[in-house]
Amino acid sequence: MTATPDSGLHTALLAATLLAPWLALAVLAFTRATGRALLLPLAPVAALLAALVLPDGTALTAALLPAGLSFGMDATARVFLLPAALVWTLSGWLACQLRPEQARSPLFAALWLLALAGNLALILAQDLLALYAGIALMTFAALGLIVFERTAEALAAGRLYLVMMMLAEVALFVAIAALVTDAGGDTRFDAAATRLPGPVLALLALAFGLKLGALGLHSWLPRAHPVAPVPASAVLSGVMIKAGILGWLRLVQPSADTIGSALPPLLVVLGVAGALYAALRGLACRDPKVLLGWSSVSQMGLLTVLAGLALITGEPAIAAISVLVIHHGLAKAALFLGVGLLGAAAGRRRTGIWIGLWLPALALAGAPATTGVLAKSALDLAVAATGQGAGLTAALHLTGLASALLMLRFLWLTRGTPAPDTAQAPAVGRYPELPWLLLLGAVLLLPWLLFQGAPVMAAAATLSGQAAAALPLAVALPIAVAASRWPGATQRATGLRRYRPSFGFRAKNVPAGRPLAFHLAVWERHLHAWRLIGRAVVLVTLALGAAIGLGLTR
């Protein structure tokens, strides 16, 4: 095809999107502290522009890249790139305002830019090698952001994150190596997706399930995300966590083999169980950031459900994934950034921030007139496409109720967040709320604008759709009010936080009369124990070695 001036400009913009974080890294050492902080919000600007104007099919030619790497824009990349670029830009801007001394740190800026570079690369990747390189770079740069505060909690969370992500990287590497070998060196997605034997599919499910935080593979997520600096928490939970579902969409397509297997129902069951379990665990939290971490696990459960449905129905489930990726990415980033602002504000400014938190919280709760209605309608359409989803629909209504209770609990906790000590509070910028307010505007309007004319818009705009969205919140409100007035609720929550069981399941370790949340906390601490995680890593590593040695993945 003959190149046109427009196609040349499009290719240049795509190249600028990928190179901007690396150029920012190159000039990092030659800029002053103030200029160093400005690199954080400026580096993703090209990506934001690319998501808005680049047509599908724009690609970098092979002559510009090392052999085996290709990047380009398509419909899937756009769905992930737009919220990612917006959240990275506004979170970087808020980092300059909320913690200027931190944003000026060369180490923080370098880690931020490396994670951004990996995130953009994996979103725009058009082949297996580019996808793996982007995931690996983002994963290990994110480790530095998680442990950046160097607290005991951050270092412990970082160790857990590192072990589980190493396991994911090994599983993904083996799967990709098997796919490339079986395809005769062809690294294109469409070539790989047609060759997915059972062991390779299992490896991909393990790798992407760990990245996503699916039930049983989630223990790193509620510990790692809350301990990072607030802007890093926003991009971790709002953007980077979606790498698992993006990889799944790229490599796993509906086929007769997957539809006839046990994998789709297994993913659906795990997703529903994860959404409910994480919501119950989050209700026992007293730290808003930890609660938001559990909320992310719950929302990733819904994406796990859609990953299973995508193997059966194809397009309806994929469309629902697109809605949830944008809806959750914007709302969760706004919640994390709002918590950070709330901890640095006082007086009327503090009250205004808390009121602003209601918008993304109600959106995640699925309240009427919010983008949560779009997400709920998309889920309903994906389930309806299966032709036999009555039981699953009821289960998803239950997860909607749990999410509504979780967000009401979050609003209650943030209402009592202590005001900062003005004598010891770090300096903040003059208008730290401005990037957050822009993000709130995106939460309010952007998903509605992006899905105009789509079937999900028609379903969400009906009176019945709005009424169905109001039901979980209407049920959750009286439950939340009753729970807040229950005698001794505060003391039980405080006791739960102090409790540290041993690593053995013994009856004497479980006091009588404890609520369900207490028993869930005991179980979760066992999942976090190094004894269990270490054994799991050894067993899976041995299984991978046996699979390679016996040629089962070929």
Side-chain angles (χ1 to χ4, degrees):
M1 178 181 292
T2 303
T4 64
D6 283 346
S7 66
L9 290 175
H10 293 155
T11 303
L13 179 57
L14 181 61
T17 298
L18 293 166
L19 291 176
W22 298 103
L23 293 175
L25 274 170
V27 303
L28 188 61
F30 304 100
T31 57
R32 295 183 179 181
T34 304
R36 190 182 301 139
L38 291 176
L39 294 174
L40 274 61
L42 291 178
V45 170
L48 183 58
L49 184 60
L52 294 173
V53 304
L54 279 187
D56 291 349
T58 305
L60 292 180
T61 61
L64 300 176
L65 295 168
L69 294 180
S70 59
F71 299 92
M73 176 65 73
D74 57 16
T76 300
R78 193 183 310 280
V79 165
F80 287 83
L81 184 62
L82 181 57
L86 189 59
V87 170
W88 276 104
T89 301
L90 296 178
S91 297
W93 184 3
L94 189 137
C96 300
Q97 296 287 320
L98 188 62
R99 293 285 300 275
E101 80 291 348
Q102 189 177 75
R104 294 167 187 166
S105 163
L107 178 59
F108 182 84
L111 291 170
W112 181 277
L113 294 170
L114 285 171
L116 171 62
N119 193 205
L120 296 179
L122 75 92
I123 290 174
L124 294 170
Q126 295 295 315
D127 68 90
L128 293 169
L129 298 184
L131 178 72
Y132 180 78
I135 288 178
L137 176 60
M138 183 193 73
T139 296
F140 294 115
L143 173 63
L145 295 175
I146 290 169
V147 303
F148 187 80
E149 300 284 1
R150 295 182 179 85
T151 62
E153 293 82 1
L155 294 175
R159 288 193 295 270
L160 180 62
Y161 172 87
L162 178 60
V163 171
M164 299 189 77
M165 290 303 104
M166 283 293 295
L167 178 58
E169 293 298 322
V170 171
L172 184 58
F173 179 82
V174 173
I176 288 178
L179 289 173
V180 173
T181 302
D182 190 48
D186 193 344
T187 62
R188 294 173 302 158
F189 289 140
D190 54 354
T194 59
R195 299 177 175 88
L196 287 177
V200 171
L201 194 60
L203 288 173
L204 292 175
L206 173 64
F208 294 139
L210 281 163
K211 298 289 184 183
L212 195 64
L215 181 64
L217 306 173
H218 68 278
S219 58
W220 64 272
L221 198 158
R223 295 185 65 184
H225 287 195
V227 298
V230 167
S233 295
V235 294
L236 280 164
S237 199
V239 176
M240 287 192 270
I241 194 176
K242 309 299 193 309
I245 194 65
L246 175 59
W248 187 260
L249 290 177
R250 291 298 196 189
L251 297 181
V252 183
Q253 298 176 357
S255 67
D257 293 338
T258 56
I259 293 174
S261 71
L263 185 59
L266 176 62
L267 291 176
V268 169
V269 171
L270 283 177
V272 172
L276 290 173
Y277 171 78
L280 290 174
R281 280 292 293 118
L283 289 172
C285 295
R286 303 185 70 222
D287 184 332
K289 287 186 70 177
V290 177
L291 183 149
L292 291 179
W294 281 111
S295 173
S296 291
V297 177
S298 182
Q299 294 293 314
M300 295 308 102
L302 297 180
L303 282 178
T304 305
V305 170
L306 290 173
L309 294 182
L311 296 178
I312 303 173
T313 64
E315 184 55 37
I318 293 173
I321 289 173
S322 300
V323 176
L324 259 70
V325 163
I326 296 174
H327 158 71
H328 174 264
L330 298 175
K332 187 54 62 66
L335 288 172
F336 268 110
L337 295 181
V339 169
L341 287 169
L342 199 63
R348 292 183 178 179
R349 177 175 285 186
R350 176 186 179 79
T351 303
I353 292 171
W354 185 73
I355 293 173
L357 281 172
W358 279 72
L359 174 60
L362 289 177
L364 284 182
T370 68
T371 57
V373 181
L374 276 176
K376 183 183 182 304
S377 299
L379 277 167
D380 290 342
L381 290 175
V383 173
T386 64
Q388 46 183 5
L392 179 56
T393 300
L396 291 177
H397 285 317
L398 190 58
T399 65
L401 173 61
S403 294
L405 286 170
L406 195 59
M407 288 299 100
L408 292 174
R409 170 69 170 165
F410 167 79
L411 293 170
W412 177 262
L413 290 176
T414 51
R415 176 177 174 270
T417 303
D421 184 351
T422 55
Q424 299 180 355
V428 297
R430 189 172 182 181
Y431 301 109
E433 298 91 353
L434 184 55
W436 182 63
L437 291 175
L438 292 175
L439 186 56
L440 289 184
V443 172
L444 180 64
L445 298 174
L446 188 58
W448 295 107
L449 297 174
L450 292 176
F451 295 101
Q452 279 187 346
V456 66
M457 176 68 82
T462 62
L463 184 60
S464 60
Q466 295 290 329
L471 183 59
L473 196 59
V475 176
L477 276 171
I479 296 175
V481 172
S484 67
R485 296 177 181 275
W486 191 268
T490 304
Q491 289 82 353
R492 283 199 301 272
T494 305
L496 177 63
R497 191 182 184 190
R498 288 197 305 263
Y499 182 70
R500 293 293 184 272
S502 69
F503 286 143
F505 282 104
R506 300 183 179 92
K508 65 181 181 180
N509 290 332
V510 183
R514 292 290 186 175
L516 174 62
F518 177 85
H519 295 278
L520 291 177
V522 173
W523 170 251
E524 190 64 38
R525 290 194 180 103
H526 284 283
L527 288 180
H528 292 179
W530 279 103
R531 183 185 303 177
L532 177 61
I533 294 172
R535 289 171 181 172
V537 170
V538 171
L539 288 175
V540 174
T541 303
L542 290 175
L544 291 176
I548 296 171
L550 296 175
L552 295 180
T553 59
R554 294 190 57 181

